[in-house]
Amino acid sequence: MVVVFDLEVCRVTLGYADRQGDLLDDVTRFCDESLPETSIFSVLHRERDALFPDEMFADLYERTGRRSVPPSVVATVMVLQRLAGLSDREAVERYTYDARWRYACGVGGYDGTGWDSFAHTVLVEMRARLARSARPRRIFEVSLEAAAKAGLVGLKRALDSTPLYDSVATMDTITLVRSAIRGLLRVADAGLEARLRAVLTSGDDYASTAKPGIDWDDAAERERLIDSRARDGHACLQVLDGRDLAEPVSQAGQLLARILGQDLETGEDGVFRIARKVAKDRIISTVDPETRHGHKTAVRGFDGYKGHVAVDPDSEIITDTVVTPGNVGDGAVAADLIDDLLRPIGGESADGGQPVPAARQEQTSGQDALTDRPTVYGDNAYGTGEFLKLLDENNIESRVKTQDPVAPAGRFSKNDFDVNPEDDTVTCPNGITVTIRRNGAGDGIAQFGDACADCPLRAQCTTNAKGRTVSVSRHEKYLAKARTRQKSPRWRNDYRATRPKVERKLAHLMFRRHGGRRARMRGNAKIDADFNLLAAAHNLARLGRLGLRRVFGGGWAVANA
């Protein structure tokens, strides 16, 4: 069952939690005596009103309507739900019957004034309201702000990503085509649906999700099936062409067009057949059109999304998260993960007169971190020329590994050539120098051609009859600097001691299969919000273990930093 909330119809006004508490409440007294102070339940009970005051969610509600479940209670349940890896129904059940959850939410036992229970759809509604708000990540922002004010967010960032498996079935070509046509028929109004069905010639009514009953071992019959459904799809697109379409119909038509274009090709005989190739950015499901085939390594594939994180390696606080389709490279979102190191908010640095990044100004006055350069750690996936250039231009120390060039059969690699970006030349091991020929984007190639014909080192260099060629990136000077830098023993020791901490944090996030490694939702936006909430929950659990407490003046401090 899909629950859809129209927030214009569900008029709900802000509800407030009871902040007085009941000193004689049995649940509160029992948990006070039995739970350690560093437990996530104790931290939320003690600091909930400071972390999640009901007023923080006031913009999500209307001025008139029925009273909502206090949002501070709902936010607390959402945090505990993500830590435990529970569904909405399971989370509400845990809130109803688990004394620790009721203690964390501040509602006490069952003979007080707190909420005994609420419908699981309250959690669905809260997520929908947050998604439509100007601050959809406010729960994560609260956890990060508390950590920063406690002096736990420094100038180091370790970056990494992990697969998030989708919650839909990967479809083959015929299932994709039939599902796209069925989706188009479903969203069309009665008149348009009649016109669409009038052009269908395959005899398929597209009512069932099951595959057509044919002899799947017969190649000719499979070919006829594919051709007939492809012709149905193209006929539907011709009906839509030139019409003023409603948004759902337009989206369904675009999806059908992409599927027909990515998987099918027309032979010389005019018959549609499955293309013997894999299209770039290929759609693999009509149920979740944003999920993709992904590869974490060359041999390890998956279907779904990637969850990217930035972690302060000293405190193990997560400072940012991003979710992308599975086929997006790690380096593509690296700048987004460290935007707090890049974003100037005023002031000047001690060395360059540049605006001080936000993360620097969040340091407490007792720290000397302002005299240090920000440092970013990442594996080879982040060692792109664009990202290395960004770090260099923003005076950020790079602990990002860069892939060394390799050559087959132990021949000379690019490292054996002298690449000089200043005068745009490349000199080979035999001392031959050629000029780099660059394209409009700035990337280039050095071709040695005839100079290789009589070269005594040819056997160690190339087997190409046209001679050796060397590709040169427009960011070559940054790549070369990174490769030289990472050979330093001091650099390697720091990298090996620091970067693995982000892998440990990812292991914590993925501990629960439901809502951890396996996405609970569909669509990039919803999975991104859910992954960010998971990070917030783990940040709060980490702060609890460090002894987070509110201090006089509105600040935060930890006992075990």
Side-chain angles (χ1 to χ4, degrees):
M1 180 182 69
V2 178
V3 180
V4 179
F5 283 96
D6 184 346
L7 300 185
E8 297 299 323
V9 175
C10 301
R11 299 190 63 84
V12 180
T13 190
L14 180 66
Y16 291 91
D18 181 8
R19 296 181 179 177
Q20 298 298 320
D22 184 358
L23 297 177
L24 302 179
D25 182 78
D26 290 339
V27 167
T28 302
R29 186 172 65 254
F30 170 73
C31 291
D32 276 339
E33 296 172 355
S34 59
L35 290 175
E37 289 191 353
T38 57
S39 162
I40 182 63
F41 304 103
S42 297
V43 172
L44 290 174
H45 173 79
R46 184 174 64 243
E47 311 295 352
R48 184 193 65 259
D49 290 339
L51 291 169
F52 309 129
D54 293 316
E55 293 80 4
M56 186 178 86
F57 302 91
D59 60 301
L60 305 182
Y61 297 91
E62 290 73 35
R63 293 182 177 274
T64 59
R66 61 179 177 84
R67 285 284 182 183
S68 71
V69 179
S72 60
V73 173
V74 180
T76 303
V77 171
M78 291 170 69
V79 167
L80 296 175
Q81 175 189 16
R82 298 304 288 116
L83 280 177
L86 303 178
S87 69
D88 291 343
R89 292 179 187 273
E90 290 169 332
V92 171
E93 183 177 284
R94 192 73 65 88
Y95 164 83
T96 304
Y97 299 109
D98 191 319
R100 297 171 302 174
W101 282 50
R102 300 187 65 80
Y103 175 70
C105 293
V107 296
Y110 303 94
D111 53 355
T113 60
W115 285 75
D116 289 344
S117 185
F118 53 83
H120 73 279
T121 53
V122 170
L123 297 174
V124 182
E125 183 182 0
M126 174 61 91
R127 289 194 295 268
R129 291 180 182 275
L130 285 171
R132 298 189 186 191
S133 72
R135 290 180 56 208
R137 291 185 163 203
R138 67 189 70 191
I139 295 177
F140 175 79
E141 291 166 1
V142 164
S143 72
L144 187 57
E145 181 184 0
K149 288 184 176 180
L152 296 175
V153 180
L155 296 175
K156 295 180 180 179
R157 297 291 181 272
L159 314 181
D160 207 354
S161 69
T162 190
L164 302 175
Y165 303 148
D166 59 32
S167 55
V168 297
T170 300
M171 298 179 175
D172 58 29
T173 299
I174 192 64
T175 305
L176 280 170
V177 173
R178 293 189 70 254
S179 179
I181 294 174
R182 189 169 57 253
L184 177 60
L185 294 171
R186 183 171 58 249
V187 297
D189 59 41
L192 180 57
E193 181 183 1
R195 292 185 180 89
L196 292 171
R197 290 193 176 277
V199 300
L200 302 178
T201 58
S202 66
D204 192 337
D205 62 2
Y206 296 97
S208 171
T209 59
K211 287 185 177 181
I214 67 167
D215 181 2
W216 289 95
D217 294 326
D218 187 335
E221 196 165 351
R222 292 200 306 271
E223 186 174 281
R224 287 193 296 272
L225 173 68
I226 293 166
D227 180 66
S228 64
R229 278 23 175 214
R231 292 185 185 282
D232 279 355
H234 282 284
C236 288
L237 293 179
Q238 289 180 353
V239 172
L240 300 181
D241 188 31
R243 291 178 177 270
D244 185 14
L245 303 174
E247 184 64 22
V249 178
S250 177
Q251 291 178 355
Q254 292 175 25
L255 179 61
L256 174 58
R258 284 197 59 182
I259 289 172
L260 293 173
Q262 72 179 13
D263 281 358
L264 301 172
E265 60 185 8
T266 309
E268 294 181 358
D269 55 0
V271 175
F272 288 99
R273 296 182 177 87
I274 295 178
R276 299 300 177 184
K277 62 181 180 181
V278 178
K280 185 179 180 180
D281 202 35
R282 181 177 182 270
I283 295 173
I284 61 176
S285 172
T286 59
V287 179
D288 185 355
E290 295 178 293
T291 185
R292 293 291 185 271
H293 292 309
H295 284 275
K296 185 58 179 171
T297 66
V299 296
R300 181 185 170 199
F302 64 94
D303 292 338
Y305 298 84
K306 275 186 184 177
H308 307 261
V309 299
V311 174
D312 183 304
D314 294 330
S315 62
E316 298 188 26
I317 293 295
I318 300 171
T319 59
D320 206 354
T321 67
V322 177
V323 168
T324 63
N327 61 347
V328 174
D330 291 357
V333 297
D336 295 330
L337 292 172
I338 63 166
D339 58 357
D340 59 332
L341 297 180
L342 303 172
R343 184 176 64 251
I345 59 173
E348 292 187 351
S349 65
D351 50 2
Q354 296 296 318
V356 180
R360 296 193 186 196
Q361 294 199 354
E362 287 171 351
Q363 305 296 315
T364 60
S365 58
Q367 292 178 305
D368 61 353
L370 287 174
T371 63
D372 298 334
R373 291 176 63 188
T375 306
V376 173
Y377 300 78
D379 59 21
N380 285 323
Y382 297 95
T384 64
E386 290 84 355
F387 188 51
L388 293 171
K389 178 184 178 183
L390 178 71
L391 297 179
D392 188 82
E393 291 178 343
N394 286 274
N395 196 32
I396 296 176
E397 184 72 23
S398 172
R399 291 290 187 271
V400 177
K401 288 189 72 175
T402 302
Q403 186 71 48
D404 282 319
V406 294
R411 299 188 182 93
F412 292 137
S413 73
K414 185 177 176 180
N415 278 348
D416 297 307
F417 290 73
D418 182 12
V419 180
N420 190 337
E422 301 301 325
D423 59 8
D424 257 8
T425 61
V426 177
T427 303
C428 76
N430 194 37
I432 304 298
T433 301
V434 299
T435 302
I436 301 171
R437 299 169 58 187
R438 296 190 180 273
N439 59 24
D443 297 318
I445 189 169
Q447 296 177 314
F448 288 86
D450 295 339
C452 297
D454 301 322
C455 179
L457 302 178
R458 179 184 177 91
Q460 298 171 257
C461 188
T462 183
T463 59
N464 191 331
K466 296 181 179 180
R468 180 66 181 263
T469 60
V470 176
S471 298
V472 181
S473 167
R474 60 187 179 276
H475 302 302
E476 192 65 36
K477 69 175 183 179
Y478 301 104
L479 294 167
K481 184 192 295 186
R483 293 184 184 117
T484 301
R485 185 170 49 223
Q486 68 191 25
K487 295 177 181 178
S488 163
R490 180 172 174 270
W491 192 100
R492 291 199 299 266
N493 291 337
D494 185 29
Y495 178 87
R496 291 169 180 169
T498 306
R499 201 202 72 84
K501 294 179 181 179
V502 69
E503 296 181 348
R504 178 170 63 188
K505 180 57 67 173
L506 284 174
H508 294 165
L509 295 177
M510 298 296 106
F511 177 71
R512 306 284 184 182
R513 181 173 176 82
H514 178 71
R517 179 72 68 196
R518 176 72 65 181
R520 302 191 308 148
M521 301 172 184
R522 299 196 295 264
N524 197 97
K526 290 183 178 180
I527 294 174
D528 181 86
D530 204 47
F531 189 66
N532 187 254
L533 179 60
L534 177 64
H538 279 270
N539 275 354
L540 291 169
R542 175 65 178 163
L543 291 171
R545 287 191 291 272
L546 294 175
L548 180 72
R549 283 189 177 276
R550 190 79 164 166
V551 296
F552 180 77
W556 295 94
V558 292
N560 305 318

